[in-house]
Amino acid sequence: MPMRRFGVLSPMSSRKPGSRFGLIDCDNFYVSCERVFQPNLKGRPVVVLSNNDGCIVARSKEAKAVGIGMGAPFHKAKDLIKQNSVKVFSSNYTLYADMSYRVMEVLREYLTTVDIYSIDEAFVEFFENDGTDTGHRIREEVMRRTGIPITVGIGSTKTLAKIAAEYAKSNEDCCHVFDLSDCSDPDAILKDTLAQDVWGIGTKIAEWLYERNITTALDLKHIPDEVIRKRVGITGLRTVLELRGTSCIELRSIIAPRKNIISSRSFGRFVTEMADIRESVAMHTTIAAEKLRQDKSVAGQLSAFVTTNVYSKTPQYSATVSVSVHPATSASGELVRLAMIAVEKAFKPGFRYIKAGVEMSKLSPTQARQVDLFSPRDMSKEERLYQAVDAVNGKFGSDTIHPLSSGIARNWKMKQDYNSQTFTTSWDDLLQA
């Protein structure tokens, strides 16, 4: 499912008077997805690993309690994991994306505006008479229909809703729902929130603030406008205004089309052969083409790239080759053909590659595609063919139909030694009762 980041607008609200922002945040989302279909994991320490089983990217509260750090390299945490019988999973992106879709669909049934921020977060609009009671009802409904626990934070701005959600997670009395706008002393909560934890404050900005003894969200709220604007610009000023209760980042119910699409992932091992590189690039091109069709867009340019591991002591090399797509299209077959031309020019023998991928650029709506009398072919029939392929893959599981050029064995694919079943998108993985 397509995900977009938020849009930053001027302090002009299109919301109804008295409405408030809500942040719906899925709790320990990757871990929760695994627990839905494996109830025996509840109460047990669980961690989920990043690409190629490199680092720990999700932890249950039990895993946090035994001292497993977020982002810790897996190989360094193995002793602690073994001592505490921690269950380990590789990232199962197919399962997580589908569960995210189900959560968002439930939200859309009960709320008029759902602005998807990430795979496990969405901003929503609460009306004047809504509050914690509505938040609890939504939480109960999402749990009943998906099995995913959520936290609901409510505030007069998006930034304050984020702070409310974090407070709800850490304060058991809230039962995972908290409305900061109804709080008798909101400044007390801002005082207990570190400035570096405020949404939109990066590491470098946090260091600059710390040097000036601005350590909490309350300190940041009272920083002079000209000071923050001179150092951070209009984006930093908007964050400060949001802390003061002035909404500067509005909800977006309409998803803006992407300006480019990149599909890439590290190999599970070093790759040296052109045949493996071709398979990888063909697979990533197929994925990117599917995203184009989801957006009802076509690409006018395709770039293929290869790179070695910059952290390895072996010889280094990387290259990107771009080719024009004429006429612009979203048809997988034509895009794969062009990607093979590009990657063969980019590839150089004698190196150990760790990643390859493609980027689609010069995107435009399918209906606004530029055509001319000298276009070599009409791509509309091919595009309808691949729309039918998308429908089949949507019903029977991703990659059910794929180009032969993307390989079958795929010995180069991402390392996932601890992968669970997909449960919801594959007939073979459905639970049996």
Side-chain angles (χ1 to χ4, degrees):
M1 66 181 294
M3 299 289 180
R4 301 288 187 280
R5 290 187 67 82
F6 59 91
V8 179
L9 305 179
S10 61
M12 296 174 59
S13 177
S14 58
R15 296 178 295 125
K16 293 182 179 180
S19 64
R20 288 165 287 177
F21 291 96
L23 175 68
I24 310 296
D25 187 357
C26 300
D27 300 338
N28 301 322
F29 181 59
Y30 289 1
V31 171
S32 296
C33 289
E34 301 291 352
R35 283 177 165 174
V36 168
F37 301 96
Q38 302 175 77
N40 61 312
L41 296 175
K42 293 181 179 178
R44 179 178 175 182
V46 180
V47 298
V48 179
L49 306 177
S50 63
N51 291 350
N52 289 307
D53 296 342
C55 298
I56 294 167
V57 294
R59 306 163 295 162
S60 66
K61 65 178 182 180
E62 296 82 4
K64 297 175 185 177
V66 300
I68 297 176
M70 183 64 171
F74 176 49
H75 70 277
K76 290 186 177 180
K78 280 187 176 180
D79 290 342
L80 194 58
I81 286 172
K82 185 176 181 181
Q83 292 167 9
N84 294 278
S85 301
V86 179
K87 183 65 175 178
V88 178
F89 290 99
S90 302
S91 288
N92 189 339
Y93 297 116
T94 301
L95 173 64
Y96 305 155
D98 187 63
M99 293 302 293
S100 173
Y101 175 79
R102 295 177 184 218
V103 170
M104 301 307 169
E105 285 300 292
V106 175
L107 298 181
R108 288 190 179 98
E109 289 186 26
Y110 290 87
L111 299 160
T112 57
T113 305
V114 178
D115 179 3
I116 299 174
Y117 175 64
S118 68
I119 194 170
D120 62 346
E121 291 179 293
F123 287 101
V124 300
E125 184 176 13
F126 285 104
F127 296 114
E128 188 172 7
N129 296 326
D130 294 338
T132 54
D133 289 343
T134 302
H136 283 296
R137 287 197 296 271
I138 292 172
R139 187 170 189 270
E140 291 169 4
E141 191 65 13
V142 171
M143 173 61 80
R144 185 180 71 83
R145 293 175 57 178
T146 69
I148 300 295
I150 65 171
T151 293
V152 182
I154 305 170
S156 57
T157 69
K158 276 188 172 183
T159 302
L160 292 175
K162 288 275 281 187
I163 291 175
E166 291 302 319
Y167 181 80
K169 288 181 182 179
S170 59
N171 192 319
E172 293 184 0
D173 294 338
C174 295
C175 298
H176 288 264
V177 178
F178 180 66
D179 187 348
L180 186 59
S181 59
D182 280 347
C183 178
S184 59
D185 188 9
D187 280 354
I189 295 174
L190 296 184
K191 188 176 180 180
D192 289 337
T193 303
L194 293 176
Q196 65 191 38
D197 294 335
V198 173
W199 187 40
I201 300 299
T203 304
K204 291 185 178 180
I205 299 173
E207 291 174 354
W208 179 82
L209 292 171
Y210 183 78
E211 290 172 356
R212 285 151 183 80
N213 202 32
I214 300 170
T215 59
T216 71
L218 184 60
D219 297 333
L220 184 58
K221 173 182 176 180
H222 295 301
I223 191 174
D225 292 0
E226 62 274 11
V227 173
I228 191 69
R229 183 165 187 168
K230 183 177 180 180
R231 174 59 180 84
V232 189
I234 190 65
T235 302
L237 179 58
R238 283 172 176 157
T239 298
V240 172
L241 291 174
E242 288 248 321
L243 288 173
R244 296 173 186 167
T246 301
S247 176
C248 301
I249 310 172
E250 286 299 302
L251 289 168
R252 298 196 311 165
S253 58
I254 300 175
I255 296 175
R258 286 173 267 216
K259 295 183 179 180
N260 64 344
I261 295 174
I262 298 175
S263 180
S264 175
R265 191 157 288 167
S266 297
F267 302 128
R269 60 175 178 82
F270 286 115
V271 169
T272 59
E273 300 299 323
M274 180 62 193
D276 291 331
I277 296 287
R278 285 172 59 93
E279 285 186 1
S280 171
V281 169
M283 184 195 74
H284 288 302
T285 304
T286 303
I287 293 172
E290 183 177 350
K291 292 179 180 179
L292 279 172
R293 294 190 290 273
Q294 288 174 353
D295 287 358
K296 294 181 172 56
S297 297
V298 292
Q301 180 172 288
L302 179 150
S303 301
F305 56 89
V306 293
T307 183
T308 55
N309 187 353
V310 295
Y311 300 106
S312 173
K313 295 181 180 180
T314 56
Q316 300 295 309
Y317 171 76
S318 63
T320 301
V321 173
S322 301
V323 294
S324 295
V325 182
H326 185 69
T329 186
S330 63
S332 299
E334 176 64 8
L335 292 172
V336 168
R337 183 186 73 82
L338 294 171
M340 294 301 97
I341 295 173
V343 77
E344 286 179 3
K345 293 180 180 178
F347 178 80
K348 191 174 181 180
F351 292 94
R352 302 174 70 191
Y353 294 98
I354 194 63
K355 182 186 286 188
V358 296
E359 178 181 6
M360 304 292 176
S361 55
K362 295 185 179 180
L363 307 188
S364 60
T366 302
Q367 299 302 322
R369 170 175 32 202
Q370 288 290 111
V371 296
D372 59 62
L373 294 172
F374 304 102
S375 294
R377 56 200 291 196
D378 179 8
M379 301 302 301
S380 58
K381 291 184 178 180
E382 283 193 50
E383 289 166 0
R384 288 197 296 272
L385 167 64
Y386 287 105
Q387 288 170 1
V389 170
D390 293 342
V392 173
N393 287 338
K395 183 175 182 180
F396 296 102
S398 176
D399 214 34
T400 299
I401 299 178
H402 64 267
L404 182 60
S405 56
S406 64
I408 298 175
R410 296 178 180 173
N411 297 320
W412 44 265
K413 65 183 179 182
M414 183 175 66
K415 183 179 179 182
Q416 292 178 299
D417 292 341
Y418 306 93
N419 217 12
S420 59
Q421 297 166 267
T422 52
F423 295 114
T424 63
T425 56
S426 170
W427 288 110
D428 295 333
D429 290 345
L430 291 179
L431 293 177
Q432 297 183 7

